[in-house]
Coordinates of all heavy atoms in Angstrom, one line a residue:
L275 N -116.4 -35.5 46.2 CA -115.6 -34.3 46.0 C -116.5 -33.0 45.9 O -116.1 -32.0 46.5 CB -114.7 -34.4 44.8 CG -113.5 -35.3 44.8 CD1 -112.9 -35.5 43.5 CD2 -112.5 -34.8 45.8
L292 N -121.2 -12.3 56.4 CA -121.1 -11.7 57.7 C -120.3 -10.4 57.7 O -120.5 -9.5 58.4 CB -120.6 -12.7 58.7 CG -121.4 -13.9 59.0 CD1 -120.7 -14.8 60.1 CD2 -122.8 -13.5 59.5
A309 N -115.8 -19.2 66.6 CA -116.2 -20.2 67.7 C -116.9 -21.4 67.1 O -116.7 -22.6 67.5 CB -117.1 -19.5 68.7
Q328 N -118.3 -30.4 58.8 CA -117.7 -31.4 59.7 C -117.2 -32.6 59.0 O -116.0 -33.1 59.2 CB -118.6 -31.7 60.9 CG -118.8 -30.5 61.8 CD -119.8 -30.8 62.9 OE1 -119.9 -30.1 63.9 NE2 -120.6 -31.9 62.8
T330 N -116.3 -33.1 56.0 CA -115.1 -32.7 55.1 C -113.9 -32.6 56.0 O -112.8 -33.0 55.6 CB -115.4 -31.4 54.4 OG1 -116.5 -31.6 53.5 CG2 -114.2 -31.0 53.6
R333 N -112.8 -36.1 57.0 CA -112.5 -36.9 55.9 C -111.2 -36.5 55.2 O -110.3 -37.3 54.8 CB -113.6 -36.9 54.8 CG -113.5 -37.9 53.7 CD -114.8 -38.1 53.0 NE -115.5 -36.9 52.7 CZ -116.7 -36.6 53.0 NH1 -117.5 -37.5 53.7 NH2 -117.3 -35.5 52.6
A339 N -106.0 -23.2 60.1 CA -105.4 -21.8 59.7 C -106.1 -21.2 58.5 O -106.4 -20.0 58.5 CB -103.9 -21.9 59.6
W360 N -100.1 -1.8 46.0 CA -100.4 -3.2 45.5 C -99.9 -4.2 46.6 O -100.6 -5.2 46.8 CB -99.7 -3.4 44.2 CG -99.4 -4.8 43.8 CD1 -98.2 -5.4 43.5 CD2 -100.3 -5.9 43.8 NE1 -98.3 -6.7 43.3 CE2 -99.6 -7.1 43.4 CE3 -101.7 -6.0 44.0 CZ2 -100.2 -8.3 43.2 CZ3 -102.3 -7.2 43.8 CH2 -101.6 -8.4 43.4
K388 N -95.1 -26.1 47.4 CA -94.9 -25.6 46.0 C -96.2 -25.4 45.3 O -96.4 -24.4 44.6 CB -94.0 -26.7 45.2 CG -93.7 -26.4 43.8 CD -92.9 -27.5 43.2 CE -92.7 -27.3 41.7 NZ -91.9 -28.4 41.1
I403 N -109.8 -9.8 39.7 CA -110.9 -9.7 38.8 C -112.2 -9.4 39.4 O -113.0 -8.5 39.0 CB -111.0 -11.1 38.0 CG1 -109.8 -11.3 37.1 CG2 -112.3 -11.1 37.1 CD1 -109.6 -10.2 36.0
E411 N -120.1 -1.7 43.5 CA -120.7 -2.4 44.7 C -119.8 -2.1 45.9 O -120.3 -1.9 47.0 CB -120.8 -3.9 44.4 CG -121.4 -4.7 45.6 CD -121.5 -6.2 45.2 OE1 -121.7 -6.5 44.0 OE2 -121.4 -7.0 46.2
D424 N -102.2 3.2 42.3 CA -102.6 3.0 40.9 C -103.6 4.1 40.5 O -103.6 4.6 39.3 CB -103.2 1.6 40.7 CG -102.2 0.5 41.0 OD1 -101.0 0.8 40.9 OD2 -102.6 -0.6 41.2
D536 N -88.3 -12.0 39.0 CA -88.3 -11.1 40.2 C -87.6 -9.8 40.0 O -88.1 -8.7 40.3 CB -87.7 -11.8 41.4 CG -88.5 -13.1 41.8 OD1 -89.7 -13.1 41.5 OD2 -87.9 -14.0 42.4
P609 N -88.0 -15.2 54.8 CA -88.5 -13.9 55.2 C -90.0 -13.7 55.1 O -90.5 -12.7 55.6 CB -87.8 -12.9 54.2 CG -87.7 -13.8 53.0 CD -87.4 -15.2 53.5
D647 N -91.9 9.5 60.3 CA -92.9 10.1 59.5 C -94.3 9.8 60.0 O -95.2 10.7 60.2 CB -92.8 9.8 58.0 CG -91.6 10.4 57.3 OD1 -91.2 11.4 57.8 OD2 -91.2 9.8 56.3
R711 N -94.4 22.4 49.9 CA -95.9 22.6 49.9 C -96.6 21.3 50.0 O -97.6 21.2 50.8 CB -96.2 23.2 48.5 CG -97.7 23.4 48.3 CD -98.1 24.1 47.1 NE -99.6 24.3 47.0 CZ -100.2 25.2 46.2 NH1 -99.4 25.9 45.4 NH2 -101.5 25.3 46.2
L731 N -91.3 32.4 60.6 CA -92.3 31.6 59.8 C -92.9 30.5 60.6 O -93.7 29.7 60.1 CB -91.6 31.1 58.6 CG -91.3 32.1 57.5 CD1 -90.3 31.4 56.5 CD2 -92.5 32.6 56.8
A741 N -97.8 23.6 59.7 CA -98.0 23.0 58.4 C -99.2 23.8 57.7 O -99.1 24.1 56.5 CB -98.4 21.5 58.6
P818 N -86.8 30.1 44.5 CA -87.4 29.4 45.6 C -88.9 29.5 45.6 O -89.6 28.6 46.0 CB -86.7 30.0 46.8 CG -86.2 31.3 46.4 CD -85.8 31.2 45.0

Side-chain angles (χ1 to χ4, degrees):
L275 286 171
L292 295 179
Q328 290 174 168
T330 297
R333 189 161 49 231
W360 157 236
K388 180 180 177 182
I403 292 300
E411 180 182 330
D424 297 341
D536 296 337
D647 287 337
R711 175 174 184 163
L731 289 166

